[in-house]
Amino acid sequence: MLFNSYEFILFFLPLTFILYFLMQHFNSPKIARAWLVSASLFFYSWWNIKYLPLILISIFVNYGIGSILSSKNIRANKLVILVIGISFNLSLLGYYKYADFFIVNFNNVFASSISLLGIILPLGISFFTFTQIAYLVDAYQGKAKEYSMINYMLFVTFFPHLLAGPILHHKEMMPQFADPDRYKLDFNSIAPGLFLFFIGLGKKVFIADNFAIWANQGFDQMVNLSVAEAWITSLSYSFQLYFDFSAYTDMAIGAALLFNIVLPINFYSPYKSQSIQEFWRCWHMTLGRFFRDYLYIAWGGNRQGELRTCCNLLATFLLVGLWHGAGWTFVFWGLLHGMALVIHRLWSKLGIKLNRFLGWFITFNFVNIAWVFFRAKNWQDAHKVLSGMFGVNGWAWSGQLQSSAYFTQKLGIFGISDTLSQNIQLILAISMGLIICLFCKNSIEYWQEFRPNIQTALVTMSLAIAGILSLTKVTQFLYFNF
């Protein structure tokens, strides 16, 4: 089930919300939590019920291992148990996400012909796997302990974060679920929750999905791209991914707030960043936290000399790339970001500070160019877009990047040709995307400044009506693929 669907907005979310607080009202917090777990599992099963046993097995095994790790009465070697638990999680992830990738590469290297398994990637497996690995490590270190199976299931399956994050820590969630003050309806949470949710819906249906049209045309349909077409293609994808992921995080935080639960911030204006380090502090923040805490620091971080630090950065970001997808283009994208962070670190050692605009310009264009490898289905698609961006195919405009027929028709009233009309729309869309990213407040800032009044109520209602009426074509969030 998708956040941007009639089923979720008009049926699932209101029904889950009403029954949850009715149960809390009649002093049944345990039953209410059990209901929220059941609703979350239904939410997950809506996509494909055959993967319900997968997430349940993952939960039961990790709960059992976590209980052993957090127990003071167990004399077994807990490090061995932790390794077994992490291996179990990585084995599930490896089979469902990377098995065919490994088979393809094995066939290429050894000229074999092993048949592919054709496994469909279960939604959310990367997120609920990493959430539970973090729990096992925290339990091993004495930072987390869970006595209740229902509480643990709620921690893992709580539907706002289940499919695309954020990646949670047990210690930041369970105190909230156990807090009696959060069992009652709180309009100070409901109002900003609805506000954030419908801001996210607006971003998805009005901005991200429209940029997707041009990105898909350029990457998937056109054979050659001129300079202008290639830059519009790459920037369209950069803005599509930005607003798509931003929309999901807004809707996830907003939906959780309805239940008086505050999810960690996962996205904070990354395209305003003036360095690649700042970018990674603002983009997919909980994923960066996971890799920093459980890999980079565990490998020594920056405590063992400059060479080791650079190697740790490169190795960490190679795995960040691989986490995002089973393909060498993802690995190369991770390598590019690792190299950029190494260069930034070495440059910072020189004590030379770049002009703020120049720092932003370099960072934004690097991120945009690197996204080409992230989006491309293969090396040929990446080469097609990059060669166009750097002028290999010339400047001629083919007119194959199609924009809105409605606005083309309206501009035609003023004697503007279809081709010129499309060019104007594309330039305006790219410009507006950049302006919003750079000069507008982000959703978190609006949330922090939120005041329930007539103005915010009208804005929320307008966004809700416009967003719901625009759900003529439901599209999946991009991070569901990772």
Side-chain angles (χ1 to χ4, degrees), residues 447-466:
W447 174 24
Q448 293 168 342
E449 299 172 357
F450 183 84
R451 297 291 183 273
N453 51 40
I454 296 297
Q455 181 180 354
T456 54
L458 289 174
V459 170
T460 303
M461 189 180 301
S462 300
L463 286 169
I465 294 171

Side-chain angles (χ1 to χ4, degrees), residues 24 66 121 140 152 171 196 209 211 228 232 240 242 244 285 335 367 415 466:
Q24 299 285 19
L121 179 67
Y140 171 77
Y152 181 76
K171 61 185 178 182
L196 276 177
D209 288 351
F211 277 118
I232 288 174
Q240 178 199 359
Y242 179 98
D244 192 279
M285 296 156 71
L335 175 64
V367 169

Side-chain angles (χ1 to χ4, degrees), residues 6 14 25 76 94 138 140 172 176 183 189 228 234 268 271 287 303 333 365 372 375 389 391 428 463 467:
Y6 291 121
H25 177 72
D138 288 349
Y140 171 77
E172 66 193 357
Q176 296 189 67
Y183 296 167
S189 292
S234 67
Y268 199 88
Y271 284 177
L287 179 70
R303 304 187 304 272
W333 169 82
N365 280 283
V372 172
R375 169 59 175 81
M389 291 172 71
L428 285 175
L463 286 169

Side-chain angles (χ1 to χ4, degrees), residues 380-422:
Q380 290 75 21
D381 284 346
H383 179 266
K384 174 185 72 175
V385 176
L386 289 172
S387 61
M389 291 172 71
F390 291 99
V392 173
N393 299 320
W395 293 79
W397 185 274
S398 69
Q400 295 182 60
L401 285 175
Q402 301 295 320
S403 49
S404 168
Y406 174 80
F407 288 108
T408 298
Q409 183 181 19
K410 294 300 181 184
L411 289 172
I413 296 174
F414 300 98
I416 298 174
S417 67
D418 288 356
T419 300
L420 181 58
S421 170
Q422 291 167 9

